Amino acid sequence: RKEVEQDPGPFNVPEGATVAFNCTYSNSASQSFFWYRQDCRKEPKLLMSVYSSGNEDGRFTAQLNRASQYISLLIRDSKLSDSATYLCVVNSFGEGGYNKLIFGAGTRLAVHP
Amino acid sequence: EPEVTQTPSHQVTQMGQEVILRCVPISNHLYFYWYRQILGQKVEFLVSFYNNEISEKSEIFDDQFSVERPDGSNFTLKIRSTKLEDSAMYFCASQGQISYEQYFGPGTRLTVT
C-alpha cells in the first residue's frame, strides 16, 4: 500500500464549481497533515495544515479523520487561478525519530471559464 | 515574507561530473531538507539536517550524495559523480521549531547529459 494515496485526476471544472480532493495515508503514527499546491515546474507551496477539528481558510476547507486515515480538501467557488496540482502531504518519522514529509502523487485541477 | 532561496535555477552537467546545489533557508529555522522530483513523478525525501549533522536520509541518498552547512547560512547538496538518473528538480526546504510545516525553495533543475 502506498504511504499517501490520492485520486490521480485530472479534475476539469468550470469556474464557480465546488471541488473535493481525497487522500488516504497508511502510517497511523503520522501527526501532521498538509495540503500543498504545486504549479507546473514550480515548488510545492503550503496551502494549509490540516487539524483534527477541521479548518477553513476562505474558500478552502480541510478535514482529517484519524480513525479512517483520511484527509480531504474542499475548494468552493473555484477560480481560474486555482488550477494547479494539489498535493496531500503527511509527516513521518525516520529511524532516528526526525521528521520528514511524505508526498502523495498529487491531483491536478483545471478550472475553465 | 521570509523565503527559501536556491541557486542555480538550472544546472546542466555531464555524467560523472560533480555538482553542488545551494540553498539559503529561512533565517530562524533549524531543520533543513532536500527533496527531489523526477519529471512527472512525486516529490521524494532525500535527507534532513539538524544541528550540523544529518538526522535522516532515504535510500536514494547514497554515498554519492553529501550535505553541509559550511557557514551557518548556505545549505548545500553535493552529488559527487552524477548519473543520468539524477536528472530532476531538487528542492530545499526549511522548518522552524514550533510546527512540522516546511517551506520550499524554488528548486534547481538538474539535467545530466
Side-chain angles (χ1 to χ4, degrees):
Chain A
R1 183 181 171 186
K2 290 181 186 173
E3 289 187 88
V4 180
E5 288 202 70
Q6 297 183 245
D7 293 332
F11 292 175
N12 293 299
V13 303
E15 276 186 288
T18 295
V19 60
F21 301 96
N22 303 312
C23 170
T24 56
Y25 60 95
S26 61
N27 185 353
S28 58
S30 294
Q31 296 179 0
S32 296
F33 310 90
F34 310 96
W35 285 100
Y36 279 76
R37 161 195 175 128
Q38 187 175 30
D39 293 288
C40 189
R41 295 183 178 259
K42 300 287 189 181
E43 75 274 23
K45 289 193 172 169
L46 179 65
L47 186 62
M48 56 200 302
S49 300
V50 188
Y51 304 114
S52 296
S53 54
N55 45 303
E56 188 174 308
D57 183 2
R59 298 182 292 111
F60 299 83
T61 301
Q63 299 272 354
L64 167 66
N65 184 323
R66 284 186 187 270
S68 303
Q69 295 180 203
Y70 170 86
I71 307 162
S72 66
L73 175 70
L74 190 75
I75 305 177
R76 288 181 300 279
D77 188 24
S78 50
K79 314 285 184 199
L80 295 176
S81 56
D82 294 333
S83 297
T85 297
Y86 289 82
L87 307 174
C88 178
V89 183
V90 172
N91 91 304
S92 178
F93 297 100
E95 291 179 2
Y98 286 91
N99 177 57
K100 58 184 177 182
L101 296 183
I102 306 298
F103 283 76
T107 303
R108 192 156 60 87
L109 172 66
V111 182
H112 57 81
Chain B
E1 184 177 312
E3 57 183 21
V4 178
T5 59
Q6 289 186 243
T7 54
S9 57
H10 191 190
Q11 174 90 50
V12 181
T13 190
Q14 289 191 323
M15 198 165 52
Q17 296 297 303
E18 174 182 288
V19 294
I20 297 176
L21 311 183
R22 291 183 167 78
C23 167
V24 179
I26 294 172
S27 62
N28 62 346
H29 282 186
L30 299 179
Y31 301 88
F32 312 114
Y33 302 83
W34 285 101
Y35 293 81
R36 94 173 172 190
Q37 186 175 31
I38 294 169
L39 187 63
Q41 297 186 24
K42 64 181 182 178
V43 177
E44 301 175 286
F45 167 78
L46 289 178
V47 66
S48 60
F49 192 83
Y50 170 70
N51 202 25
N52 281 323
E53 60 183 24
I54 290 173
S55 46
E56 300 288 348
K57 58 184 181 179
S58 72
E59 291 173 355
I60 304 167
F61 194 88
D62 62 22
D63 292 344
Q64 293 300 311
F65 291 88
S66 62
V67 289
E68 62 176 5
R69 195 162 182 244
D71 56 10
S73 174
N74 290 283
F75 177 49
T76 63
L77 174 69
K78 183 193 293 186
I79 309 175
R80 255 180 282 284
S81 177
T82 49
K83 307 182 187 72
L84 294 176
E85 55 265 35
D86 293 328
S87 295
M89 283 288 284
Y90 288 81
F91 294 110
C92 173
S94 71
Q95 176 190 311
Q97 294 185 68
I98 299 173
S99 80
Y100 293 128
E101 292 175 354
Q102 294 183 18
Y103 297 88
F104 285 74
T108 293
R109 185 186 309 170
L110 176 65
T111 302
V112 182
T113 61

